[in-house]
Amino acid sequence: APGLTALLREVKYLLQQGLKVPPAALEVFSRAESLRRHAGNLDLVATSYNAIQASLLPVERPLVKSQLERVDHMLAQSVTVPGQEPPTLSWKSNGIDQFIAEAMVEVRHVEATLRAMKGNLALMEEILDSWSGSGLFARYNKPSTLADFEILQKQVRSQRFALVRSGGEAIHKLLSDSCQRLGLSSGLPDWRSYV
């Protein structure tokens, strides 16, 4: 895109000065607005895709592997790889608008899935951290009888167990949500590794 931007700027300045511009450059300049829009959208796709790749943990990668492969296959239509056949899409292709729109949808879908998984994981960590706030036993600040101590311990344990039970249910719901978003079975080895 930097080369495209430079070309469009140069043609603009040449035209302003009344100088002759090569026909190929004029043809590109005539589609300047759509080319800028395409370049900007493709830059968004690339930035999002790179952010996904950078933020994926090794245990998360197998869970979104099929989604990433679908995006990779789609993007391969437009990427020039040295030593391989030229891409099937270019700036002049008829389906370029549809390709960019579909690529944005696919990348955003993976991004939303990953964001939901990471958000659910953060909530689970908060729940687990809340459990470490206090122990299963409590002490009076003054000496107490054994009966008073046992009554206090029953109350504390019952409160803690209720907190752990409700937290466990919340964690289960968050895990179920992540599993459903991924469209995976909870019995898959990759999911079990994640959990």
Side-chain angles (χ1 to χ4, degrees):
L4 175 65
T5 304
L7 173 72
L8 295 174
R9 187 174 35 246
E10 290 297 319
V11 171
K12 176 183 168 187
Y13 293 143
L14 289 172
L15 289 172
Q16 285 176 348
Q17 294 178 358
L19 299 172
K20 185 171 178 160
V21 179
L26 276 175
E27 193 247 319
V28 170
F29 187 74
S30 69
R31 298 182 307 136
E33 207 46 50
S34 66
L35 291 174
R36 280 191 185 106
R37 187 178 69 251
H38 292 333
N41 288 338
L42 287 172
D43 190 43
L44 286 173
V45 168
T47 301
S48 296
Y49 181 82
N50 290 338
I52 289 167
Q53 292 292 349
S55 69
L56 270 177
L57 298 173
V59 74
E60 294 169 335
R61 190 170 295 281
L63 299 176
V64 293
K65 181 181 177 186
S66 65
Q67 294 175 6
L68 287 175
E69 286 174 348
R70 192 169 47 245
V71 171
D72 289 342
H73 179 71
M74 176 181 283
L75 295 178
Q77 300 175 58
S78 66
V79 177
T80 303
V81 179
Q84 292 186 2
E85 292 184 30
T88 55
L89 285 174
S90 71
W91 296 105
K92 294 180 181 181
S93 298
N94 283 335
I96 193 72
D97 287 323
Q98 181 179 353
F99 165 77
I100 293 171
E102 289 173 3
M104 288 181 81
V105 166
E106 288 294 329
V107 169
R108 284 183 178 156
H109 176 69
V110 176
E111 196 175 33
T113 300
L114 193 59
R115 187 175 31 254
M117 284 175 55
K118 289 188 180 290
N120 287 345
L121 181 61
L123 291 173
M124 287 183 260
E125 288 172 346
E126 286 177 21
I127 292 169
L128 292 172
D129 285 343
S130 74
W131 293 351
S132 66
S134 60
L136 290 176
F137 295 98
R139 292 179 27 182
Y140 281 116
N141 289 334
K142 58 184 179 172
S144 65
T145 66
L146 182 60
D148 289 341
F149 179 77
E150 286 177 353
I151 290 171
L152 175 66
Q153 298 315 311
K154 275 186 176 181
Q155 290 173 346
V156 169
R157 276 196 310 265
S158 112
Q159 290 171 352
R160 295 294 290 156
F161 290 156
L163 180 67
V164 170
R165 184 177 302 112
S166 67
E169 290 169 358
I171 288 173
H172 181 74
K173 286 179 184 175
L174 292 167
L175 285 171
S176 294
D177 177 62
S178 292
C179 189
Q180 287 175 349
R181 285 180 185 273
L182 291 164
L184 299 175
S185 165
S186 59
L188 286 176
D190 290 334
W191 177 253
R192 292 214 168 277
S193 293
Y194 178 72
V195 174

